[in-house]
Structures are given as structure tokens and as C-alpha cells.
Amino acid sequence: MFTIGKDANFVSNNQYMRKLLVITGPTAVGKTELSLQIAERLGCPIISADSRQVYRELSIGTAAPTAEEQSRVRHYLVQSRSIEDYYSAYEFEQDALRILEEIYRDHDVAVVTGGSMMYIDALCNGIDDIPTISDEIRQKVWSMYEEHGLDHMLAMLQTLDPQHYDIVDRQNYKRVIHAIEICLQSGTTYTSLRTNKKKERPFEAVKVVIDRDRQELFDRINRRVDIMDSMGLEDEARRYFPMKHLNSLNTVGYKEMFDYFEGKTSREMAIEKIKTNTRRYAKKQLTWFRYKGEYTWFDASEDNLADKIIALLE
């Protein structure tokens, strides 16, 4: 079928379908270095599936690949957008598909790595064509929420889309607000836009989850937060504190620092909350991957791990 050589591309015949190697797992598990090793072996670039590393202003708090790491392998969708840009799983799907079209001109395999579950799902299975929310509508809806509260927004959603109102998590104000935004932007119901149909792709996705012993993973998360702190996370967060209303900054690492800046907590407690919330997010990621059931699981401590993963492509 094809051969793999060090620093060489796949050699395929006409019957070979291009492949997308998805390397994912919880935050801080070690995806970056492993993906670099594999991409170097395969001689192909990496597409980042990280919903926060896409922002160029956020390097410390997102643990974005360093300049040295990016010099080893070409990376796409790392620090390619501004925090002021609206970016979602739908935009990622469109960008990644366009990039893959370019990659497949010269390569028969591409590597995608990151822990953003919705991004990976959108790329591999497709996502409904949800409209991009304009700044005007986003500001209008959020202003209504801030002025009138969640009960008012729930009543509004019940009027706009009673079917979605029946199934939405009514305690999750972000989901309620997002559904209202879509209704107002599209002029129709969110329900009518949600088809959940799997789209055909011009590649075969080979999906891998990297995991670790739970305590080891949590220790790595704690150490990573300490490293971020020593690298200047507070200064990075303070720089963008005036823009804390942006969705791009509504994420672990920045929210806790913003609470500290507003006097809601101490600096020490903010750091501890970042660790706690990151560990909680890692558990959420693992739950998602198990639920999907589409992945081959590996322990990060396994010997010859890169070889084992590459073998899945044969």
C-alpha cells in the first residue's frame, strides 16, 4: 500500500485514501511533543485543533507551541487570529478543510492535534451550518442578559424556539444566550438548523487518545500552571483585562486572573483555581472521548509510542 521512512512522506498507489491522523487527549498529557515526533517521521505539517492557541495574543496561558517547536514542523492555525475575532468550531472546520486541501497536494497524510473536542468533531464529522453571529447581535443579547438576567433570556428562548427550550441546559447561561443569538441572526429557529448529519470527508480519520495515570496527569497540570505563572501569566492576563468581555478570554487561566484583578480572590487562590479548573477540564475531555468511542487509546508512558501510532496508518 505505502511505505514510511524517517523524514519521508507516504508513498501511495491510486487506491489509497488520504488519511488524517488525529492525536488528542486531555490538557498537559504530552500531545505537543508526541505530535512533533510523529509529524517529523511522516514529513507532514500539523494542524492545531486548540480553540485558544488560535489567538496570537495568548501564548503563555494557552501553552501554545513555542517558536522552536514550530520551527521543527510547520503548524497551521496557531496564533493565526486576534482575540477580537469571532472564531468557532464552524470557522475551524472551514479553515481546516481548506488547509487540508493544500496539504494533500503534496502529502498523503496530515496530523491534527489538540484537545478541543468540538473542533475535532467538526473537522471529522462536520458541523451544522450555523451562521456567524454579528457583533451587533452579540452585544445586544449580552446586554439583555446583563440587564434582565437568565429568567428573562429563558422566556425569550421559549418564544423564539420552544423545541430547543425544552432540551437546553437552563442553568448554562452561555448555551441559552448562544441559542438566542442564532435565532436572531438566522431569522429562524436553532432547532431547524441542527441536523446532526455526518458529512462525507475526502480522507480517512485515524483517531488516537493519549492518556496517563490520573495522578501523574494532575501533577503535570499543576506543574504547567506553575510554569505559566513563572513565565508571566499575570502580566499577559493584565494586558488584556480591559477586554475581558471577549469570548476568547472566557477561558481557564484568564478568568481566574480577572477575578484576582477585580479583588474577588487572592493571587494565590487564583493560581489554585486555575489548577483546579484545568484538572476539571481534563476530566471533561476524557469523558467526551470515552463517550465518542471512535478512538484508539494509548498510555503516554508506552515504549515506542510514535511507532505504534504510525502503524495504525498502514
Side-chain angles (χ1 to χ4, degrees):
M1 290 286 292
F2 52 82
T3 59
I4 306 171
K6 182 174 176 57
D7 299 325
N9 298 334
F10 283 89
V11 178
S12 65
N13 62 26
N14 292 332
Q15 296 177 342
Y16 169 61
M17 185 176 193
R18 289 162 174 165
K19 297 198 176 183
L20 179 69
L21 177 58
V22 178
I23 302 173
T24 189
T27 185
V29 77
K31 298 184 294 293
T32 298
E33 178 57 32
L34 177 63
S35 298
L36 284 167
Q37 292 176 16
I38 290 175
E40 285 174 332
R41 291 272 301 279
L42 300 178
C44 68
I46 291 173
I47 298 176
S48 169
D50 188 295
S51 63
R52 289 303 178 261
Q53 289 181 2
V54 72
Y55 298 114
R56 67 177 63 96
E57 297 91 341
L58 311 180
S59 58
I60 298 174
T62 64
T66 65
E68 180 183 356
E69 289 169 335
Q70 293 189 56
S71 70
R72 289 171 57 184
V73 174
R74 181 174 183 181
H75 284 67
Y76 290 92
L77 301 181
V78 171
Q79 298 178 318
S80 59
R81 296 289 186 277
S82 167
I83 55 174
E84 296 185 75
D85 295 336
Y86 176 78
Y87 203 72
S88 68
Y90 176 77
E91 277 74 28
F92 171 78
E93 176 197 21
Q94 301 306 305
D95 285 345
L97 288 174
R98 173 182 51 78
I99 292 167
L100 282 173
E101 186 176 347
E102 297 175 10
I103 291 175
Y104 286 142
R105 292 172 188 163
D106 301 308
H107 307 272
D108 286 332
V109 65
V111 173
V112 171
T113 188
S116 296
M117 300 86 75
M118 290 299 296
Y119 279 27
I120 292 170
D121 201 47
L123 176 56
C124 295
N125 300 318
I127 194 169
D128 294 327
D129 294 332
I130 304 300
T132 298
I133 308 302
S134 68
D135 291 339
E136 180 182 359
I137 286 180
R138 186 173 299 281
Q139 184 175 356
K140 176 182 178 181
V141 176
W142 275 93
S143 295
M144 284 191 290
Y145 168 70
E146 291 173 352
E147 182 177 354
H148 301 292
L150 181 57
D151 287 343
H152 176 83
M153 306 309 288
L154 284 167
M156 186 175 182
L157 179 59
Q158 188 174 27
T159 299
L160 291 170
D161 189 348
Q163 284 181 272
H164 191 66
Y165 171 83
D166 288 340
I167 64 172
V168 73
D169 179 356
R170 297 175 196 175
Q171 301 304 313
N172 190 325
Y173 70 93
K174 291 180 186 177
R175 293 188 179 179
V176 173
I177 288 172
H178 185 54
I180 292 173
E181 289 173 339
I182 291 169
C183 290
L184 296 179
Q185 184 71 51
S186 65
T188 187
T189 64
Y190 188 16
T191 300
S192 67
L193 298 174
R194 287 163 55 95
T195 64
N196 294 317
K197 291 182 179 178
K198 186 172 182 178
K199 298 179 181 178
E200 290 197 14
R201 294 301 193 216
F203 55 77
E204 177 187 349
V206 178
K207 301 180 183 179
V208 169
V209 169
I210 308 302
D211 197 8
R212 286 183 184 270
D213 170 79
R214 199 61 65 246
Q215 189 55 53
E216 182 184 358
L217 176 64
F218 289 171
D219 288 344
R220 286 173 63 92
I221 288 172
N222 293 340
R223 287 197 300 273
R224 173 182 278 188
V225 174
D226 287 336
I227 291 171
M228 289 176 177
D229 186 25
S230 67
M231 291 176 63
L233 175 60
E234 179 181 344
D235 290 340
E236 184 174 81
R238 196 176 293 278
R239 191 177 307 129
Y240 301 109
F241 179 52
M243 309 168 77
K244 66 183 181 68
H245 61 282
L246 295 175
N247 184 61
S248 55
L249 292 167
N250 183 29
T251 189
V252 176
Y254 299 96
K255 294 188 298 183
E256 296 84 357
M257 276 297 175
F258 295 159
D259 284 346
Y260 162 54
F261 300 156
E262 293 174 342
K264 297 177 181 178
T265 188
S266 66
R267 188 183 188 284
E268 293 73 17
M269 185 58 69
I271 296 298
E272 288 305 312
K273 284 183 177 179
I274 294 173
K275 294 177 180 179
T276 298
N277 291 336
T278 304
R279 294 194 300 267
R280 187 173 294 139
Y281 179 62
K283 288 189 284 187
K284 179 180 178 181
Q285 289 173 301
L286 289 166
T287 299
W288 171 278
F289 299 135
R290 290 193 188 96
Y291 168 75
K292 283 295 180 179
E294 304 168 348
Y295 296 87
T296 301
W297 290 65
F298 290 96
D299 191 286
S301 64
E302 291 184 37
D303 294 333
N304 303 315
L305 183 53
D307 290 335
K308 293 176 181 177
I309 292 174
I310 289 174
L312 296 176
L313 298 170
E314 297 181 1

